[in-house]
Amino acid sequence: NIIVGGEKVPRTLAVMLKENTECNLYNAYGPTEMTIWTHIGDLRDDFINVGYAIPGVYDLILDDNFCETDKGNLWLSGKTISNGYVNDNALNEKKFVTHNGILMYDSGDVAYRKEGKLVIAGRCDNQIKISGKRVELEEIENLIVEYTNISQCIVMEAMGEIIIVIQDRKLTREKLIAQLIGKIDNSFIPKKIM
């Protein structure tokens, strides 16, 4: 058996695995706040999915009014749910909500079902994962403004790389690195400037 998890599975990886092994291939999904895995799907399916909830885990796809919908925000609950974030009541109130008497966690992922299987379509927010670390794009923007002479920027993620859009055409990536090195996580330093 091969189990892939932790990041979105690129279609090219799924194809490569299917073509080069006969063993069972699984796609595992789950946020840390739910003690890692909540769903497991078959990577040999014709479309990338995370399958079904594992025993003891429950999911709901809800809209902004907490009504079930075909495509929306994925909420999770069950015996693996964590007790919340240490010393962060504001975030706990936002992400851990009691709905119909059940404690649920807001995954921040947009999801829908295809052929009954859960498909993760993307994020509800600007949170990305770079080098295994979750961060909001706005946090990177704020750090760049704080530690450089850039007064305004837009940070984007493309193909796992951070890209910064700025007005100053004279600023090179080397100058930007020199200003940021040791002040922010190296994986958050933009790879490209536009």
Side-chain angles (χ1 to χ4, degrees):
N1 293 333
I2 294 177
I3 301 173
V4 179
E7 296 288 342
K8 183 177 179 181
V9 178
R11 181 165 299 287
T12 53
L13 175 61
V15 169
M16 190 256 324
L17 288 170
K18 288 180 199 179
E19 290 174 352
N20 292 291
T21 185
E22 296 295 319
C23 69
N24 296 321
L25 301 172
Y26 298 104
N27 184 18
Y29 165 85
T32 301
E33 294 82 354
M34 288 293 296
T35 320
I36 311 301
W37 291 354
T38 59
H39 292 72
I40 192 147
D42 188 342
L43 256 175
R44 292 197 181 276
D45 286 345
D46 293 333
F47 59 97
I48 304 289
N49 67 82
V50 296
Y52 304 100
I54 63 173
V57 172
Y58 307 94
D59 61 46
L60 283 175
I61 300 172
L62 302 174
D63 64 18
D64 292 338
N65 297 315
F66 274 76
C67 295
E68 289 194 50
T69 184
D70 292 334
K71 184 176 182 179
N73 197 356
L74 178 63
W75 287 79
L76 302 165
S77 68
K79 62 185 178 183
T80 65
I81 195 167
S82 76
N83 292 324
Y85 304 107
V86 175
N87 300 324
D88 197 338
N89 291 336
L91 190 56
N92 285 333
E93 288 176 11
K94 179 181 174 187
K95 301 296 275 181
F96 292 89
V97 175
T98 300
H99 177 63
N100 292 336
I102 299 168
L103 181 63
M104 300 191 73
Y105 169 70
D106 173 6
S107 72
D109 288 324
V110 175
Y112 63 93
R113 295 189 198 286
K114 181 176 179 180
E115 299 174 14
K117 299 172 183 177
L118 192 68
V119 176
I120 305 299
R123 295 284 304 163
C124 299
D125 52 23
N126 287 324
Q127 188 180 84
I128 60 168
K129 198 174 200 181
I130 298 288
S131 300
K133 298 170 187 146
R134 290 192 284 178
V135 66
E136 297 274 347
L137 293 175
E138 187 177 291
E139 288 178 58
I140 298 174
E141 291 170 0
N142 292 339
L143 289 168
I144 289 171
V145 169
E146 181 179 344
Y147 292 118
T148 69
N149 57 1
I150 298 170
S151 62
Q152 190 175 20
C153 66
I154 298 172
V155 173
M156 300 179 289
E157 183 267 339
M159 308 280 293
E161 292 186 343
I162 301 287
I163 300 169
I164 182 174
V165 179
I166 57 173
Q167 289 183 336
D168 183 357
R169 296 287 175 212
K170 295 176 187 173
L171 182 66
T172 64
R173 183 168 183 276
E174 291 72 29
K175 288 180 185 176
L176 180 65
I177 290 172
Q179 293 177 18
L180 294 175
I181 201 80
K183 295 177 181 156
I184 71 172
D185 190 295
N186 287 347
S187 59
F188 301 159
I189 294 176
K191 301 287 187 231
K192 295 179 185 169
I193 297 178
M194 298 175 66

